[in-house]
Amino acid sequence: MTAATHTEIYRPFRGALAPSRWAFWPLYRAQMAIATKRKLPLFILFFGPAMTGIVVSFLAYLSFQIEESGSGGPLLSGAGLAAQFAAQLLEVHKLIIQAMTAARYFAVLAMAWYGAGLICDDRRAGAHLLYFSRPLTRFDYMLAHFATAFTFGCFAVLGPGLLICTVATFNSPNFIFLTEKWPVIVGTIGYSLAFVTVLSALILAVSALSKRKSYALAAVFGVFMSTLALGGAMAALMRERQWRMLSLVSHFERVADWWIGSSRSIFRWDPWWSVAVLGGLTLVSFAIVAWRVRRMEVVA
Amino acid sequence: MTASAPQAPVISLRGVVKQYGAVRALDGVELSVAPGATALLGPNGAGKTTMIKLLLGLVKPDAGEARLLGFDPRKPADGVELRRKVGYMPESDCLPPQMNAVELVSTLARITGLSESDAITRAHESLDYVGLDEQRYRDIAQYSTGMKQRVKLAQALAHDPPLLLLDEPTNGLDPKGRRHMLELVADLGHAHGKSVLLCSHLLPDVERTCDHVVVLDRGRVAASGALLELTRSQSRSSRVRVAGDVDAFAGELAARGIACDRESERVLRIHAPGEDADELFGLAGSVGAHLEAVEEQRSSLDQVFLDVLKNSREARA
């Protein structure tokens, strides 16, 4: 039968519906597609991390090239060569820490831009009505949104870190960077993932509590900058560096010092305190997201 | 609907209670909905939205038993599974503005369990069916209300569910768009074997598309049944044209306690709810008259709806 006002007929679906074990995946892909539709913000937000990665990788490359050309002469003894390699490895190590520090702010910017609107925009548009009327669990919904923010965070933090490590590995003689400094690579990956996880959870929680993306964006930066300013101000006023524990950024730096290693650490508190603070923040953030998403599902 | 329905019910509620704090949204709902097109009517706050959420498995009943297409929405596994079998078209704005119609419908189809290629194919078929042409590639933010309503219907159809829950599908549509939407709903319900539960405040829409009606009031079913039966049972009068001795026939009616008014020399309006036409013919014959025409004066659905609400509230009072 054809309705009178148009000529199309209804075609029944002849295939089969598969059980959705990865029901979050289509939603995640859709979120990524929406986020990457506009190319200009993508370019602006990831130009910084990309340039950081490229420049620092080039410096790492150069340091090994200079080393190789310098070691070609017959003047250096074996012990001298080893000492020079060690110095170069340390130099690359410092470069990685500097790159991670620089990329951190770009990462906050990019993740907040793409993550702040994820839940509040859904609620504002009412899109959750469509998602929750499908075989999509609350966990799938949260996972899809978390994965979206997480992916952008990885592009901004893990990407440059891995690029530098890869360049250093392939340019170091006999892959000495991989064989000798593998804890730095593991630490870089671990720190990047931890940073992105904490930040993704925080951004989603703020998004779940906000009415609009702009409010969520302001709130994320508010949390970062206000704690940074408060910790810095208190440390200066009280002449005690422990006050920096008030700052979220300082906790990230403490963990980076601990995991990637740094000889210039200014933090004196036990790194487990920072792990506890960041872990607690993540758990609270996930609890807030779960609570708000539950409300969205039921009050749909 | 109800007990006389020969087919297994698609929706069955037995003593369902749902309480939100002090508010009892559903108060012992007893309902059985047979396959076909059924309208869910009720004033604001009657419990329609809660019932839809319950049918989708989004809220659990505090008491009673609910079955939808054989699934128990209280069980988490059933709750997820039944959403594969149901297409839901929400009343309110719900479309993400940054996506286009093809992306949205295919994404939702993928979530429901279609493969990627099937999802794209179904998205186009559904959008073809609702009559959304090239505009399907534009961002939804640029759509008119009518186009949005079509996308909402298309996404509900994407996985070809046996049951459609349509919440105010003609909301905000112009007359042409409304006619088109009603044709689609009627086509789905009558020609394609879909069971449709249509929530609407527009009773003419219900009359055009549905065979059965459920009236909810303050969390209870105030009336339910086939649309024709409901309007007949509430009918006030029959209009008859009498040949022969009209006065004798009127007198016989009065003697039997049946009120009637004389509209013209040969036409009477008989106020006898539910009176069988055969009995009227018999009465006329007994006094030497005969009936040339009997025209049952049906109540409009509006009248039935108002009467049902009034009776329900009086009974509670």
Side-chain angles (χ1 to χ4, degrees), chain A residues 5-6 8 10-11 13 17-18 20 29 37 125 127 132 134 298, chain B residues 53 83 93-94 98 103 112-114 116 122 129 155 159-160 180 183:
Chain A
T5 50
H6 70 103
E8 289 299 331
Y10 184 76
R11 294 184 177 88
F13 176 52
L17 298 178
S20 316
R29 280 185 51 181
K37 254 185 188 177
F132 289 129
R134 306 272 159 178
V298 175
Chain B
K53 279 193 250 173
R83 283 182 243 166
D93 232 357
C94 59
Q98 316 92 324
E103 289 168 344
T112 315
L114 273 74
E116 188 153 5
R122 281 299 296 171
Y129 179 68
Q155 63 79 28
H159 53 295
D160 193 24
H180 182 202
E183 281 178 1

PDB file of all heavy atoms in Angstrom, chain A residues 5-6 8 10-11 13 17-18 20 29 37 125 127 132 134 298, chain B residues 53 83 93-94 98 103 112-114 116 122 129 155 159-160 180 183:
ATOM      1  N   THR A   5       0.300  10.744  -0.428  1.00  0.00           N
ATOM      2  CA  THR A   5       1.085  11.957  -0.637  1.00  0.00           C
ATOM      3  C   THR A   5       2.518  11.682  -1.059  1.00  0.00           C
ATOM      4  O   THR A   5       3.271  12.588  -1.288  1.00  0.00           O
ATOM      5  CB  THR A   5       1.118  12.796   0.642  1.00  0.00           C
ATOM      6  OG1 THR A   5       1.485  11.942   1.703  1.00  0.00           O
ATOM      7  CG2 THR A   5      -0.211  13.439   0.902  1.00  0.00           C
ATOM      8  N   HIS A   6       2.926  10.469  -1.141  1.00  0.00           N
ATOM      9  CA  HIS A   6       4.262  10.179  -1.653  1.00  0.00           C
ATOM     10  C   HIS A   6       4.275   8.804  -2.292  1.00  0.00           C
ATOM     11  O   HIS A   6       3.303   8.059  -2.208  1.00  0.00           O
ATOM     12  CB  HIS A   6       5.305  10.279  -0.543  1.00  0.00           C
ATOM     13  CG  HIS A   6       5.197   9.187   0.465  1.00  0.00           C
ATOM     14  ND1 HIS A   6       6.046   8.127   0.493  1.00  0.00           N
ATOM     15  CD2 HIS A   6       4.313   8.986   1.462  1.00  0.00           C
ATOM     16  CE1 HIS A   6       5.706   7.321   1.480  1.00  0.00           C
ATOM     17  NE2 HIS A   6       4.663   7.818   2.081  1.00  0.00           N
ATOM     18  N   GLU A   8       6.773   6.390  -2.082  1.00  0.00           N
ATOM     19  CA  GLU A   8       7.624   5.340  -1.537  1.00  0.00           C
ATOM     20  C   GLU A   8       6.805   4.337  -0.742  1.00  0.00           C
ATOM     21  O   GLU A   8       5.856   4.702  -0.060  1.00  0.00           O
ATOM     22  CB  GLU A   8       8.696   5.954  -0.639  1.00  0.00           C
ATOM     23  CG  GLU A   8       9.754   6.706  -1.403  1.00  0.00           C
ATOM     24  CD  GLU A   8      10.518   5.828  -2.377  1.00  0.00           C
ATOM     25  OE1 GLU A   8      10.647   4.615  -2.106  1.00  0.00           O
ATOM     26  OE2 GLU A   8      10.956   6.340  -3.410  1.00  0.00           O
ATOM     27  N   TYR A  10       6.780   1.061   2.091  1.00  0.00           N
ATOM     28  CA  TYR A  10       7.538   0.595   3.248  1.00  0.00           C
ATOM     29  C   TYR A  10       8.186  -0.739   2.916  1.00  0.00           C
ATOM     30  O   TYR A  10       7.524  -1.665   2.463  1.00  0.00           O
ATOM     31  CB  TYR A  10       6.616   0.444   4.462  1.00  0.00           C
ATOM     32  CG  TYR A  10       7.379   0.056   5.694  1.00  0.00           C
ATOM     33  CD1 TYR A  10       8.129   0.988   6.367  1.00  0.00           C
ATOM     34  CD2 TYR A  10       7.376  -1.262   6.151  1.00  0.00           C
ATOM     35  CE1 TYR A  10       8.861   0.628   7.481  1.00  0.00           C
ATOM     36  CE2 TYR A  10       8.096  -1.621   7.255  1.00  0.00           C
ATOM     37  CZ  TYR A  10       8.840  -0.665   7.919  1.00  0.00           C
ATOM     38  OH  TYR A  10       9.575  -1.021   9.012  1.00  0.00           O
ATOM     39  N   ARG A  11       9.486  -0.801   3.151  1.00  0.00           N
ATOM     40  CA  ARG A  11      10.203  -2.046   2.867  1.00  0.00           C
ATOM     41  C   ARG A  11      10.586  -2.706   4.186  1.00  0.00           C
ATOM     42  O   ARG A  11      11.348  -2.122   4.953  1.00  0.00           O
ATOM     43  CB  ARG A  11      11.474  -1.758   2.069  1.00  0.00           C
ATOM     44  CG  ARG A  11      11.213  -1.225   0.683  1.00  0.00           C
ATOM     45  CD  ARG A  11      12.522  -1.066  -0.066  1.00  0.00           C
ATOM     46  NE  ARG A  11      12.279  -0.628  -1.434  1.00  0.00           N
ATOM     47  CZ  ARG A  11      12.182   0.621  -1.792  1.00  0.00           C
ATOM     48  NH1 ARG A  11      12.310   1.570  -0.905  1.00  0.00           N
ATOM     49  NH2 ARG A  11      11.950   0.945  -3.050  1.00  0.00           N
ATOM     50  N   PHE A  13      12.518  -5.048   6.804  1.00  0.00           N
ATOM     51  CA  PHE A  13      13.931  -5.439   6.922  1.00  0.00           C
ATOM     52  C   PHE A  13      14.009  -6.962   6.923  1.00  0.00           C
ATOM     53  O   PHE A  13      13.356  -7.629   7.723  1.00  0.00           O
ATOM     54  CB  PHE A  13      14.487  -4.862   8.226  1.00  0.00           C
ATOM     55  CG  PHE A  13      15.897  -5.275   8.524  1.00  0.00           C
ATOM     56  CD1 PHE A  13      16.910  -5.116   7.589  1.00  0.00           C
ATOM     57  CD2 PHE A  13      16.224  -5.830   9.752  1.00  0.00           C
ATOM     58  CE1 PHE A  13      18.209  -5.489   7.870  1.00  0.00           C
ATOM     59  CE2 PHE A  13      17.519  -6.210  10.045  1.00  0.00           C
ATOM     60  CZ  PHE A  13      18.510  -6.040   9.094  1.00  0.00           C
ATOM     61  N   LEU A  17      18.964  -8.872  13.444  1.00  0.00           N
ATOM     62  CA  LEU A  17      19.605  -7.959  14.399  1.00  0.00           C
ATOM     63  C   LEU A  17      20.596  -8.755  15.238  1.00  0.00           C
ATOM     64  O   LEU A  17      20.239  -9.767  15.828  1.00  0.00           O
ATOM     65  CB  LEU A  17      18.561  -7.330  15.320  1.00  0.00           C
ATOM     66  CG  LEU A  17      17.496  -6.453  14.653  1.00  0.00           C
ATOM     67  CD1 LEU A  17      16.518  -5.943  15.698  1.00  0.00           C
ATOM     68  CD2 LEU A  17      18.146  -5.285  13.952  1.00  0.00           C
ATOM     69  N   ALA A  18      21.814  -8.299  15.260  1.00  0.00           N
ATOM     70  CA  ALA A  18      22.842  -8.985  16.052  1.00  0.00           C
ATOM     71  C   ALA A  18      22.814  -8.446  17.473  1.00  0.00           C
ATOM     72  O   ALA A  18      22.493  -7.283  17.682  1.00  0.00           O
ATOM     73  CB  ALA A  18      24.213  -8.740  15.436  1.00  0.00           C
ATOM     74  N   SER A  20      24.046  -6.622  20.540  1.00  0.00           N
ATOM     75  CA  SER A  20      25.010  -5.516  20.561  1.00  0.00           C
ATOM     76  C   SER A  20      25.981  -5.676  21.725  1.00  0.00           C
ATOM     77  O   SER A  20      25.740  -5.142  22.799  1.00  0.00           O
ATOM     78  CB  SER A  20      24.273  -4.193  20.684  1.00  0.00           C
ATOM     79  OG  SER A  20      23.184  -4.176  19.839  1.00  0.00           O
ATOM     80  N   ARG A  29      31.602   6.357  17.431  1.00  0.00           N
ATOM     81  CA  ARG A  29      31.978   6.749  16.073  1.00  0.00           C
ATOM     82  C   ARG A  29      31.186   7.979  15.629  1.00  0.00           C
ATOM     83  O   ARG A  29      31.729   8.877  14.972  1.00  0.00           O
ATOM     84  CB  ARG A  29      31.727   5.602  15.106  1.00  0.00           C
ATOM     85  CG  ARG A  29      32.831   4.591  15.148  1.00  0.00           C
ATOM     86  CD  ARG A  29      32.629   3.524  14.119  1.00  0.00           C
ATOM     87  NE  ARG A  29      32.381   4.065  12.782  1.00  0.00           N
ATOM     88  CZ  ARG A  29      32.154   3.310  11.715  1.00  0.00           C
ATOM     89  NH1 ARG A  29      32.146   2.009  11.823  1.00  0.00           N
ATOM     90  NH2 ARG A  29      31.946   3.846  10.541  1.00  0.00           N
ATOM     91  N   LYS A  37      33.850  17.120  12.169  1.00  0.00           N
ATOM     92  CA  LYS A  37      33.219  17.715  10.990  1.00  0.00           C
ATOM     93  C   LYS A  37      33.832  19.076  10.666  1.00  0.00           C
ATOM     94  O   LYS A  37      34.095  19.384   9.524  1.00  0.00           O
ATOM     95  CB  LYS A  37      31.716  17.885  11.242  1.00  0.00           C
ATOM     96  CG  LYS A  37      30.862  16.893  10.491  1.00  0.00           C
ATOM     97  CD  LYS A  37      29.402  17.181  10.692  1.00  0.00           C
ATOM     98  CE  LYS A  37      28.580  16.057  10.099  1.00  0.00           C
ATOM     99  NZ  LYS A  37      27.156  16.246  10.316  1.00  0.00           N
ATOM    100  N   ALA A 125      19.576  18.822  23.660  1.00  0.00           N
ATOM    101  CA  ALA A 125      18.881  18.487  22.409  1.00  0.00           C
ATOM    102  C   ALA A 125      17.809  17.416  22.624  1.00  0.00           C
ATOM    103  O   ALA A 125      16.935  17.249  21.793  1.00  0.00           O
ATOM    104  CB  ALA A 125      19.888  17.997  21.379  1.00  0.00           C
ATOM    105  N   ALA A 127      18.623  14.262  22.803  1.00  0.00           N
ATOM    106  CA  ALA A 127      19.073  13.083  22.038  1.00  0.00           C
ATOM    107  C   ALA A 127      19.121  11.829  22.906  1.00  0.00           C
ATOM    108  O   ALA A 127      19.007  10.718  22.385  1.00  0.00           O
ATOM    109  CB  ALA A 127      20.445  13.358  21.442  1.00  0.00           C
ATOM    110  N   PHE A 132      18.448   6.097  24.674  1.00  0.00           N
ATOM    111  CA  PHE A 132      17.985   5.184  25.719  1.00  0.00           C
ATOM    112  C   PHE A 132      16.737   4.392  25.322  1.00  0.00           C
ATOM    113  O   PHE A 132      16.307   3.516  26.066  1.00  0.00           O
ATOM    114  CB  PHE A 132      17.761   5.925  27.032  1.00  0.00           C
ATOM    115  CG  PHE A 132      19.042   6.365  27.672  1.00  0.00           C
ATOM    116  CD1 PHE A 132      19.230   7.658  28.092  1.00  0.00           C
ATOM    117  CD2 PHE A 132      20.085   5.474  27.826  1.00  0.00           C
ATOM    118  CE1 PHE A 132      20.423   8.065  28.659  1.00  0.00           C
ATOM    119  CE2 PHE A 132      21.286   5.864  28.387  1.00  0.00           C
ATOM    120  CZ  PHE A 132      21.455   7.157  28.805  1.00  0.00           C
ATOM    121  N   ARG A 134      16.903   2.675  22.754  1.00  0.00           N
ATOM    122  CA  ARG A 134      17.580   1.597  22.015  1.00  0.00           C
ATOM    123  C   ARG A 134      18.219   0.646  23.018  1.00  0.00           C
ATOM    124  O   ARG A 134      18.346   0.982  24.205  1.00  0.00           O
ATOM    125  CB  ARG A 134      18.700   2.188  21.139  1.00  0.00           C
ATOM    126  CG  ARG A 134      18.219   3.265  20.228  1.00  0.00           C
ATOM    127  CD  ARG A 134      17.735   2.701  18.934  1.00  0.00           C
ATOM    128  NE  ARG A 134      16.845   3.637  18.258  1.00  0.00           N
ATOM    129  CZ  ARG A 134      16.300   3.423  17.082  1.00  0.00           C
ATOM    130  NH1 ARG A 134      16.524   2.303  16.446  1.00  0.00           N
ATOM    131  NH2 ARG A 134      15.500   4.295  16.538  1.00  0.00           N
ATOM    132  N   VAL A 298      15.965   7.843  33.295  1.00  0.00           N
ATOM    133  CA  VAL A 298      14.654   7.674  33.928  1.00  0.00           C
ATOM    134  C   VAL A 298      13.754   8.874  33.690  1.00  0.00           C
ATOM    135  O   VAL A 298      12.558   8.736  33.464  1.00  0.00           O
ATOM    136  CB  VAL A 298      14.829   7.419  35.437  1.00  0.00           C
ATOM    137  CG1 VAL A 298      13.488   7.375  36.133  1.00  0.00           C
ATOM    138  CG2 VAL A 298      15.567   6.132  35.647  1.00  0.00           C
TER     139      VAL A 298
ATOM    140  N   LYS B  53       7.611   4.932  29.327  1.00  0.00           N
ATOM    141  CA  LYS B  53       8.927   4.611  29.909  1.00  0.00           C
ATOM    142  C   LYS B  53       8.937   3.190  30.460  1.00  0.00           C
ATOM    143  O   LYS B  53       9.919   2.469  30.338  1.00  0.00           O
ATOM    144  CB  LYS B  53       9.254   5.601  31.032  1.00  0.00           C
ATOM    145  CG  LYS B  53       9.785   6.920  30.529  1.00  0.00           C
ATOM    146  CD  LYS B  53      10.372   7.698  31.662  1.00  0.00           C
ATOM    147  CE  LYS B  53       9.524   8.875  31.997  1.00  0.00           C
ATOM    148  NZ  LYS B  53       9.973   9.578  33.194  1.00  0.00           N
ATOM    149  N   ARG B  83      13.829  -3.393  23.670  1.00  0.00           N
ATOM    150  CA  ARG B  83      14.031  -2.137  22.940  1.00  0.00           C
ATOM    151  C   ARG B  83      14.467  -2.384  21.497  1.00  0.00           C
ATOM    152  O   ARG B  83      14.467  -1.474  20.690  1.00  0.00           O
ATOM    153  CB  ARG B  83      15.051  -1.266  23.665  1.00  0.00           C
ATOM    154  CG  ARG B  83      14.436  -0.582  24.872  1.00  0.00           C
ATOM    155  CD  ARG B  83      15.416   0.302  25.565  1.00  0.00           C
ATOM    156  NE  ARG B  83      15.667  -0.167  26.915  1.00  0.00           N
ATOM    157  CZ  ARG B  83      16.663   0.234  27.665  1.00  0.00           C
ATOM    158  NH1 ARG B  83      17.517   1.107  27.215  1.00  0.00           N
ATOM    159  NH2 ARG B  83      16.821  -0.240  28.884  1.00  0.00           N
ATOM    160  N   ASP B  93      11.546  17.662  21.069  1.00  0.00           N
ATOM    161  CA  ASP B  93      12.706  17.770  20.193  1.00  0.00           C
ATOM    162  C   ASP B  93      13.797  16.858  20.730  1.00  0.00           C
ATOM    163  O   ASP B  93      14.103  16.900  21.920  1.00  0.00           O
ATOM    164  CB  ASP B  93      13.194  19.220  20.217  1.00  0.00           C
ATOM    165  CG  ASP B  93      13.333  19.758  18.818  1.00  0.00           C
ATOM    166  OD1 ASP B  93      13.103  18.997  17.870  1.00  0.00           O
ATOM    167  OD2 ASP B  93      13.698  20.946  18.680  1.00  0.00           O
ATOM    168  N   CYS B  94      14.373  16.049  19.886  1.00  0.00           N
ATOM    169  CA  CYS B  94      15.345  15.085  20.404  1.00  0.00           C
ATOM    170  C   CYS B  94      16.460  14.803  19.407  1.00  0.00           C
ATOM    171  O   CYS B  94      17.224  13.872  19.597  1.00  0.00           O
ATOM    172  CB  CYS B  94      14.646  13.778  20.769  1.00  0.00           C
ATOM    173  SG  CYS B  94      13.808  13.066  19.351  1.00  0.00           S
ATOM    174  N   GLN B  98      23.866  18.593  15.091  1.00  0.00           N
ATOM    175  CA  GLN B  98      25.086  18.573  14.274  1.00  0.00           C
ATOM    176  C   GLN B  98      25.128  17.410  13.300  1.00  0.00           C
ATOM    177  O   GLN B  98      26.022  17.340  12.469  1.00  0.00           O
ATOM    178  CB  GLN B  98      26.342  18.483  15.155  1.00  0.00           C
ATOM    179  CG  GLN B  98      26.370  19.379  16.361  1.00  0.00           C
ATOM    180  CD  GLN B  98      25.821  18.668  17.583  1.00  0.00           C
ATOM    181  OE1 GLN B  98      24.891  17.876  17.497  1.00  0.00           O
ATOM    182  NE2 GLN B  98      26.391  18.973  18.734  1.00  0.00           N
ATOM    183  N   GLU B 103      23.124  10.076   8.945  1.00  0.00           N
ATOM    184  CA  GLU B 103      24.043   9.710  10.040  1.00  0.00           C
ATOM    185  C   GLU B 103      23.260   9.301  11.282  1.00  0.00           C
ATOM    186  O   GLU B 103      23.573   8.276  11.909  1.00  0.00           O
ATOM    187  CB  GLU B 103      24.946  10.903  10.385  1.00  0.00           C
ATOM    188  CG  GLU B 103      25.989  11.214   9.337  1.00  0.00           C
ATOM    189  CD  GLU B 103      26.667  12.554   9.578  1.00  0.00           C
ATOM    190  OE1 GLU B 103      26.149  13.377  10.363  1.00  0.00           O
ATOM    191  OE2 GLU B 103      27.699  12.795   8.946  1.00  0.00           O
ATOM    192  N   THR B 112      21.045  -0.513  17.498  1.00  0.00           N
ATOM    193  CA  THR B 112      20.007  -1.523  17.699  1.00  0.00           C
ATOM    194  C   THR B 112      20.460  -2.909  17.264  1.00  0.00           C
ATOM    195  O   THR B 112      19.832  -3.900  17.614  1.00  0.00           O
ATOM    196  CB  THR B 112      18.733  -1.112  16.933  1.00  0.00           C
ATOM    197  OG1 THR B 112      18.501   0.262  17.185  1.00  0.00           O
ATOM    198  CG2 THR B 112      17.522  -1.872  17.389  1.00  0.00           C
ATOM    199  N   GLY B 113      21.534  -2.969  16.496  1.00  0.00           N
ATOM    200  CA  GLY B 113      22.061  -4.287  16.154  1.00  0.00           C
ATOM    201  C   GLY B 113      22.194  -4.570  14.673  1.00  0.00           C
ATOM    202  O   GLY B 113      22.528  -5.684  14.290  1.00  0.00           O
ATOM    203  N   LEU B 114      21.937  -3.596  13.820  1.00  0.00           N
ATOM    204  CA  LEU B 114      22.117  -3.813  12.387  1.00  0.00           C
ATOM    205  C   LEU B 114      23.601  -3.690  12.031  1.00  0.00           C
ATOM    206  O   LEU B 114      24.337  -2.939  12.676  1.00  0.00           O
ATOM    207  CB  LEU B 114      21.332  -2.778  11.568  1.00  0.00           C
ATOM    208  CG  LEU B 114      19.877  -3.122  11.246  1.00  0.00           C
ATOM    209  CD1 LEU B 114      19.021  -2.976  12.485  1.00  0.00           C
ATOM    210  CD2 LEU B 114      19.345  -2.221  10.150  1.00  0.00           C
ATOM    211  N   GLU B 116      26.758  -2.534   9.624  1.00  0.00           N
ATOM    212  CA  GLU B 116      26.990  -1.191   9.086  1.00  0.00           C
ATOM    213  C   GLU B 116      26.288  -0.991   7.734  1.00  0.00           C
ATOM    214  O   GLU B 116      25.618   0.023   7.518  1.00  0.00           O
ATOM    215  CB  GLU B 116      28.491  -0.957   8.942  1.00  0.00           C
ATOM    216  CG  GLU B 116      28.800   0.470   8.569  1.00  0.00           C
ATOM    217  CD  GLU B 116      30.169   0.896   9.029  1.00  0.00           C
ATOM    218  OE1 GLU B 116      30.913   0.061   9.547  1.00  0.00           O
ATOM    219  OE2 GLU B 116      30.488   2.083   8.855  1.00  0.00           O
ATOM    220  N   ARG B 122      19.001   0.675   5.523  1.00  0.00           N
ATOM    221  CA  ARG B 122      17.741   0.898   6.228  1.00  0.00           C
ATOM    222  C   ARG B 122      17.498   2.389   6.468  1.00  0.00           C
ATOM    223  O   ARG B 122      16.363   2.851   6.430  1.00  0.00           O
ATOM    224  CB  ARG B 122      17.724   0.170   7.573  1.00  0.00           C
ATOM    225  CG  ARG B 122      17.427  -1.293   7.493  1.00  0.00           C
ATOM    226  CD  ARG B 122      16.074  -1.598   6.909  1.00  0.00           C
ATOM    227  NE  ARG B 122      14.963  -1.111   7.725  1.00  0.00           N
ATOM    228  CZ  ARG B 122      13.697  -1.122   7.332  1.00  0.00           C
ATOM    229  NH1 ARG B 122      13.381  -1.570   6.144  1.00  0.00           N
ATOM    230  NH2 ARG B 122      12.749  -0.676   8.129  1.00  0.00           N
ATOM    231  N   TYR B 129      10.803   6.348   2.809  1.00  0.00           N
ATOM    232  CA  TYR B 129       9.412   6.076   3.163  1.00  0.00           C
ATOM    233  C   TYR B 129       8.725   7.304   3.756  1.00  0.00           C
ATOM    234  O   TYR B 129       7.571   7.595   3.439  1.00  0.00           O
ATOM    235  CB  TYR B 129       9.337   4.904   4.142  1.00  0.00           C
ATOM    236  CG  TYR B 129       7.929   4.593   4.577  1.00  0.00           C
ATOM    237  CD1 TYR B 129       7.005   4.073   3.669  1.00  0.00           C
ATOM    238  CD2 TYR B 129       7.509   4.829   5.874  1.00  0.00           C
ATOM    239  CE1 TYR B 129       5.705   3.814   4.045  1.00  0.00           C
ATOM    240  CE2 TYR B 129       6.215   4.567   6.259  1.00  0.00           C
ATOM    241  CZ  TYR B 129       5.314   4.064   5.343  1.00  0.00           C
ATOM    242  OH  TYR B 129       4.020   3.817   5.715  1.00  0.00           O
ATOM    243  N   GLN B 155      13.679   7.152  12.204  1.00  0.00           N
ATOM    244  CA  GLN B 155      14.577   6.452  13.134  1.00  0.00           C
ATOM    245  C   GLN B 155      13.830   5.367  13.919  1.00  0.00           C
ATOM    246  O   GLN B 155      14.419   4.348  14.267  1.00  0.00           O
ATOM    247  CB  GLN B 155      15.313   7.436  14.061  1.00  0.00           C
ATOM    248  CG  GLN B 155      14.471   8.272  15.014  1.00  0.00           C
ATOM    249  CD  GLN B 155      14.020   7.516  16.247  1.00  0.00           C
ATOM    250  OE1 GLN B 155      14.703   6.588  16.679  1.00  0.00           O
ATOM    251  NE2 GLN B 155      12.882   7.890  16.788  1.00  0.00           N
ATOM    252  N   HIS B 159      14.892  -0.125  12.356  1.00  0.00           N
ATOM    253  CA  HIS B 159      15.175  -1.541  12.617  1.00  0.00           C
ATOM    254  C   HIS B 159      13.926  -2.405  12.417  1.00  0.00           C
ATOM    255  O   HIS B 159      13.898  -3.540  12.849  1.00  0.00           O
ATOM    256  CB  HIS B 159      15.752  -1.716  14.023  1.00  0.00           C
ATOM    257  CG  HIS B 159      14.923  -1.098  15.109  1.00  0.00           C
ATOM    258  ND1 HIS B 159      14.709   0.256  15.226  1.00  0.00           N
ATOM    259  CD2 HIS B 159      14.247  -1.653  16.144  1.00  0.00           C
ATOM    260  CE1 HIS B 159      13.945   0.494  16.266  1.00  0.00           C
ATOM    261  NE2 HIS B 159      13.643  -0.637  16.840  1.00  0.00           N
ATOM    262  N   ASP B 160      12.920  -1.827  11.769  1.00  0.00           N
ATOM    263  CA  ASP B 160      11.698  -2.544  11.404  1.00  0.00           C
ATOM    264  C   ASP B 160      11.065  -3.242  12.609  1.00  0.00           C
ATOM    265  O   ASP B 160      10.847  -4.461  12.601  1.00  0.00           O
ATOM    266  CB  ASP B 160      12.022  -3.579  10.317  1.00  0.00           C
ATOM    267  CG  ASP B 160      10.761  -4.125   9.663  1.00  0.00           C
ATOM    268  OD1 ASP B 160       9.731  -3.441   9.700  1.00  0.00           O
ATOM    269  OD2 ASP B 160      10.810  -5.246   9.132  1.00  0.00           O
ATOM    270  N   HIS B 180       0.054  13.979   5.868  1.00  0.00           N
ATOM    271  CA  HIS B 180       1.080  13.031   5.426  1.00  0.00           C
ATOM    272  C   HIS B 180       1.473  12.101   6.571  1.00  0.00           C
ATOM    273  O   HIS B 180       1.541  10.877   6.408  1.00  0.00           O
ATOM    274  CB  HIS B 180       2.295  13.826   4.922  1.00  0.00           C
ATOM    275  CG  HIS B 180       3.387  12.957   4.393  1.00  0.00           C
ATOM    276  ND1 HIS B 180       4.682  13.380   4.313  1.00  0.00           N
ATOM    277  CD2 HIS B 180       3.385  11.691   3.942  1.00  0.00           C
ATOM    278  CE1 HIS B 180       5.429  12.408   3.812  1.00  0.00           C
ATOM    279  NE2 HIS B 180       4.665  11.376   3.585  1.00  0.00           N
ATOM    280  N   GLU B 183      -1.203   9.623   7.323  1.00  0.00           N
ATOM    281  CA  GLU B 183      -1.253   8.570   6.302  1.00  0.00           C
ATOM    282  C   GLU B 183      -0.173   7.531   6.543  1.00  0.00           C
ATOM    283  O   GLU B 183      -0.396   6.325   6.399  1.00  0.00           O
ATOM    284  CB  GLU B 183      -1.086   9.182   4.910  1.00  0.00           C
ATOM    285  CG  GLU B 183      -2.360   9.810   4.382  1.00  0.00           C
ATOM    286  CD  GLU B 183      -2.161  10.452   3.019  1.00  0.00           C
ATOM    287  OE1 GLU B 183      -1.035  10.390   2.488  1.00  0.00           O
ATOM    288  OE2 GLU B 183      -3.131  11.031   2.508  1.00  0.00           O
TER     289      GLU B 183
END
